[in-house]
């Protein structure tokens, strides 16, 4: 019971520690590198407190911002790869023995093994200059619409 309570308190304290939409850094972030005249690699990495959907939003938003800064209106996803990482955290157990008269009382707390997933995405996008009235098709996104809809839910550093 105590372990569950400690986990809940730790989660409450660290819930504000998810990776924010920022340049790539120690706790993750997002980056864009130009590959060819019209192709960009967008990378996003989260920490253990960042959800996979958040990392996907970061990739889409960075692709849209990159598209507009390159003079494009739309982008096409050429390829995408999961770049998530998993690691294992082992917490050792402990035992405490207390002597009361001729009796010894031992309290034992078991250790734990936890797997932590750090989500990541690598996406290659092609920047396109199309009429704003271009109908939506699979893999083709309007940069302005992504900024409007995805940008409103992305958490940015304060």
């Amino acid at each position: 019971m105590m372990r569950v309570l400690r986990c809940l308190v730790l989660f409450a304290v660290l819930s504000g520690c998810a990776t924010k939409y920022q340049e790539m850094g120690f706790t993750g972030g997002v980056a864009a590198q130009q590959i060819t005249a019209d192709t960009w690699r967008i990378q996003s990495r989260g920490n253990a407190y960042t959800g996979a959907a958040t990392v996907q939003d970061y990739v889409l938003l960075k692709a849209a911002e990159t598209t507009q800064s390159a003079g494009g209106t739309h982008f096409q996803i050429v390829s995408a790869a999961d770049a998530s990482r998993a690691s294992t955290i082992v917490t050792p157990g402990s035992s405490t023995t207390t002597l009361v008269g001729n009796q010894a009382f031992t309290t034992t707390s078991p250790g734990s093994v936890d797997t932590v997933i750090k989500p990541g995405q690598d996406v290659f996008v092609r920047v396109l200059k199309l009429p704003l009235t271009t109908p939506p098709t699979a893999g083709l996104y309007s940069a302005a619409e992504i900024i409007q809809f995805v940008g409103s839910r992305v958490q940015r550093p304060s």
Side-chain angles (χ1 to χ4, degrees):
M1 181 64 177
M2 233 6 223
R3 182 174 173 199
V4 172
L5 182 60
R6 277 187 278 166
C7 286
L8 288 174
V9 169
L10 183 63
F11 177 75
V13 169
L14 295 175
S15 63
C17 297
T19 301
K20 293 178 174 39
Y21 186 75
Q22 62 191 12
E23 289 300 315
M24 195 68 74
F26 179 70
T27 61
V30 66
Q33 297 93 23
Q34 191 167 10
I35 304 300
T36 67
D38 66 348
T39 305
W40 296 75
R41 176 178 42 226
I42 310 295
Q43 296 177 298
S44 183
R45 301 291 185 271
N47 60 27
Y49 307 103
T50 308
T54 300
V55 168
Q56 291 170 353
D57 282 350
Y58 290 178
V59 165
L60 287 171
L61 184 57
K62 188 66 169 183
E65 291 172 347
T66 301
T67 295
Q68 285 190 337
S69 68
T73 58
H74 294 74
F75 64 92
Q76 178 182 29
I77 296 177
V78 177
S79 70
D82 182 12
S84 299
R85 303 162 324 278
S87 58
T88 303
I89 298 172
V90 178
T91 305
S94 64
S95 294
T96 304
T97 302
T98 306
L99 294 173
V100 178
N102 348 346
Q103 294 185 346
F105 298 96
T106 301
T107 305
T108 302
S109 298
S112 66
V113 177
D114 298 302
T115 301
V116 176
I117 306 293
K118 298 176 182 176
Q121 285 269 282
D122 289 341
V123 177
F124 286 87
V125 298
R126 181 167 293 121
V127 172
L128 305 167
K129 296 176 187 173
L130 302 173
L132 295 176
T133 58
T134 301
T137 59
L140 185 65
Y141 298 91
S142 162
E145 286 185 12
I146 294 294
I147 290 170
Q148 178 185 356
F149 295 108
V150 175
S152 65
R153 66 175 175 254
V154 166
Q155 183 182 16
R156 297 172 191 270
S158 14

